Amino acid sequence: MVIITNILEIEQHLDGITSVIFDLDDTLYSEKQYVRSGYKAVAKRMGNKALADKLWRYFEKGKPAIDELLNEMNCKDKKAECLEAYRFQKPDICLYDGVNELLERLKHNYKLGLITDGRPEGQKAKIKALGLDKYFDEIIITDELGGIDFRKPNPRAFQILAERFREEYNRMCYIGDNIHKDFIAPEMLGMECIWFRNPDGLYSGRQR
């Protein structure tokens, strides 16, 4: 496995590769942006924009931010409403610097795939906000394959992409950020793997 600390370094490690597969969250953009955006949506729903900063402070302390806020405000009955605001937000997010240009270059020389875990409504909103449809030949949201059991490290999404690309696994490369789950399936299948050891990652301090 190759280890990088800047996503733009991947082009140095694609010899012999014809298909490049990416993870989404904390690989192509900062998931912290999505969390902040979600807290703004919750604060707006609650009628007080200042609550977004309070939610973020709870998050930084490693606490369940929405639960903590609602406990503090003594309005636990608002949880479903707050979760809806967060999950169905219109994300205010952007790709990491240089990723647009990176994907533009790659799409002319490689088949490009995206495999992402998470609730379909949230992942679709992220993909739309980031304008990723124009770069990728195939996008798989694993939950749409049959629920959370198909999330990584389940190999099915990788097998589907290999079938759709009519590609040998040893000609495919997967790039992700989560050392605990991202690489189990692609390594088992014989794919090349690049670990983006992302210092900006949402769980970087907890999972590394």
Side-chain angles (χ1 to χ4, degrees), residues 11 21 49 52 70 74 82 89 119 127 160 171 196:
E11 289 174 289
I21 316 301
K49 292 183 179 180
L70 296 180
N74 196 28
C82 289
Q89 63 171 293
R119 294 174 178 271
I127 290 164
I160 290 171
R171 303 277 283 175
F196 175 27

Side-chain angles (χ1 to χ4, degrees), residues 19-157:
S19 295
V20 181
I21 316 301
F22 286 91
D23 173 52
L24 175 58
D25 300 310
D26 276 339
T27 298
L28 296 178
Y29 84 103
S30 171
E31 195 170 1
K32 290 177 183 176
Q33 284 187 338
Y34 182 78
V35 174
R36 278 191 176 276
S37 176
Y39 290 161
K40 289 177 183 177
V42 171
K44 183 177 180 180
R45 181 72 65 90
M46 296 289 285
N48 183 351
K49 292 183 179 180
L51 294 178
D53 289 334
K54 184 167 286 191
L55 285 163
W56 182 254
R57 287 194 293 272
Y58 281 131
F59 168 78
E60 288 188 310
K61 293 176 182 177
K63 296 181 178 181
I66 291 175
D67 288 338
E68 291 289 330
L69 179 67
L70 296 180
N71 286 339
E72 178 185 324
M73 297 177 66
N74 196 28
C75 52
K76 296 179 184 178
D77 59 322
K78 297 282 189 182
K79 183 171 181 178
E81 186 178 345
C82 289
L83 289 177
E84 180 185 42
Y86 186 94
R87 291 171 179 168
F88 291 90
Q89 63 171 293
K90 183 178 180 181
D92 181 14
I93 57 178
C94 62
L95 295 169
Y96 284 125
D97 287 347
V99 169
N100 273 312
E101 294 81 2
L102 170 68
L103 294 175
E104 186 66 37
R105 291 192 299 271
L106 291 177
K107 78 174 187 177
H108 294 298
N109 298 300
Y110 304 90
K111 298 171 186 174
L112 295 186
L114 182 71
I115 296 176
T116 181
D117 296 336
R119 294 174 178 271
E121 65 273 10
Q123 300 310 99
K124 287 179 179 178
K126 294 172 187 176
I127 290 164
K128 182 177 180 180
L130 296 170
L132 294 177
D133 282 331
K134 63 181 177 286
Y135 297 120
F136 287 94
D137 300 293
E138 295 284 349
I139 295 176
I140 295 178
I141 299 171
T142 55
D143 283 33
E144 293 188 319
L145 299 179
I148 61 174
D149 289 343
F150 286 85
R151 293 181 182 182
K152 293 167 253 178
N154 189 306
R156 187 60 190 137

